[in-house]
Amino acid sequence: MSRRHTTAGLFVLLAAIWGTSFVAARATLSDIPPVLLAAFRFDIAGLLVLMYAVVTAETWVPTSQSDWVNVVLGGLLFVALHHALLFAGQQYVTSAVAAVIVCLDPILAAMFSRVLLPSERLSWVGGVGVLCGVLGVGIIANPSSDAVLGADGRGVLLVFFAAAAFALGAVVTRRSRTDLPVQSMQAWMMLVGAPVLHGAAFILPGEDLSAVTWSFSAVAGLAYLAVVAAGVGYFVYFELLDRVGPIEINLVAYCVPVSAAIGGWLVLGEQLQSRTVVGFGVILVGFVLVKRDAISAELRSLGV
């Protein structure tokens, strides 16, 4: 089998793994509170990715102040805040809805870059793209429905802020990016974020260990999230990052909602609402408008 075919296979595999992670999280939240679930996940995943970094990276320990600044910022935003909000929101929305809203990451990152990185200007076309992203979320939330005032609306807002935390993390860590290998950086971000999540769980109501039910589904869901989604998923991500680069690998986010919707339907009996599909389409248009230059450059490099 050619390298091109194996790359395509890895791309599909990663989309399937990360899409079904939304399903695993939603199924597990009935037994483990959201912040504790995120903490347990990154206790395990952080050690797995660190072991991978020890084997594969030239440098697996942050050595400079800049390294640690980058790791701490990423641990707080990428790992702790993003996943605490995401898992909290998934208590109220379907797997597909959560996956679609998370697709806002690159759109929101462009907006934050406009404010925090003066060298990166957002054109009026890019501004339209940002508005399309927000409009897509509005369509999914369906503000004309009373449901937005209840559980569904809370879930949409929590997942939206989770996407914003991830996007902000992407921008602020770009400002302080060092030469620390990506797998080492990811591992230490997880190991920084996990204790923060445990600390938050200790403070927040309903997040103590007595609220955890160690059922078979809870153990299986946690194992999937930590070992398969975070462990295997990141290994596949790093391999694809080396093969295709950061622009193409980010496109996997727009395949994830498909596997999340299919998995949610098969495992949890979740129904895919038409407004979720429409909202995803509008968000995808926003992504293309915001990233049009990078996409065009990538297509030219491929001879398209």
Side-chain angles (χ1 to χ4, degrees):
M1 184 178 292
S2 68
R3 181 180 175 88
R4 179 179 178 183
H5 287 120
T6 57
T7 298
L10 288 173
F11 192 93
V12 173
L13 175 63
L14 183 59
I17 288 174
W18 281 357
T20 49
S21 72
F22 286 90
V23 182
R26 183 160 169 78
T28 309
L29 285 167
S30 59
D31 293 316
I32 305 177
V35 179
L36 270 177
L37 176 59
F40 292 150
R41 178 190 189 184
F42 288 106
D43 288 335
I44 301 168
L47 292 175
L48 289 175
V49 179
L50 182 62
M51 287 189 290
Y52 177 76
V54 170
V55 173
T56 62
E58 293 183 4
T59 304
W60 61 272
V61 178
T63 57
S64 67
Q65 182 179 349
S66 297
D67 286 343
W68 281 110
V69 168
N70 194 269
V71 162
V72 170
L73 287 173
L76 292 175
L77 293 169
F78 283 137
V79 177
L81 188 56
H82 170 72
H83 286 90
L85 291 170
L86 175 62
F87 287 173
Q90 280 200 260
Q91 296 175 106
Y92 309 113
V93 298
T94 65
S95 307
V97 166
V100 168
I101 297 173
V102 168
C103 287
L104 280 171
D105 285 342
I107 298 174
L108 293 173
M111 185 179 68
F112 287 131
S113 294
R114 176 69 179 84
V115 177
L116 299 176
L117 301 176
S119 60
E120 298 191 20
R121 299 297 181 186
L122 191 64
S123 68
W124 70 268
V125 177
V128 172
V130 172
L131 292 177
C132 283
V134 175
L135 176 61
V137 174
I139 292 171
I140 294 168
N142 193 19
S144 62
S145 169
D146 291 339
V148 77
L149 300 177
D152 184 72
R154 293 200 303 269
V156 169
L157 285 175
L158 285 167
V159 178
F160 175 83
F161 286 126
F166 196 93
L168 180 61
V171 174
V172 297
T173 55
R174 192 186 312 164
R175 297 181 69 179
S176 57
R177 186 71 177 98
T178 66
D179 293 329
L180 185 68
V182 65
Q183 57 266 54
S184 305
M185 179 181 66
Q186 291 280 358
W188 285 101
M189 284 180 180
M190 292 177 183
L191 294 174
V192 165
V196 173
L197 287 163
H198 279 293
F202 182 77
I203 297 170
L204 294 171
E207 289 283 348
D208 54 281
L209 290 174
S210 63
V212 177
T213 301
W214 290 112
S215 63
F216 173 79
S217 61
V219 174
L222 177 59
Y224 187 88
L225 288 169
V227 178
V228 180
V232 176
Y234 274 108
F235 298 158
V236 175
Y237 172 84
F238 295 140
E239 175 63 23
L240 283 172
L241 188 64
D242 287 339
R243 292 190 183 199
V244 303
I247 296 172
E248 283 192 53
I249 192 61
N250 282 336
L251 295 177
V252 77
Y254 290 86
C255 299
V256 165
V258 178
S259 59
I262 294 172
W265 174 63
L266 290 174
V267 177
L268 303 176
E270 296 176 341
Q271 299 301 311
L272 184 63
Q273 296 184 332
S274 59
R275 71 173 188 259
T276 301
V277 177
V278 174
F280 173 67
V282 175
I283 290 173
L284 181 58
V285 170
F287 169 78
V288 172
L289 292 175
V290 168
K291 294 293 184 179
R292 67 195 183 283
D293 292 337
I295 293 172
S296 297
E298 190 68 23
L299 291 175
R300 286 195 299 272
S301 70
L302 296 173
V304 178

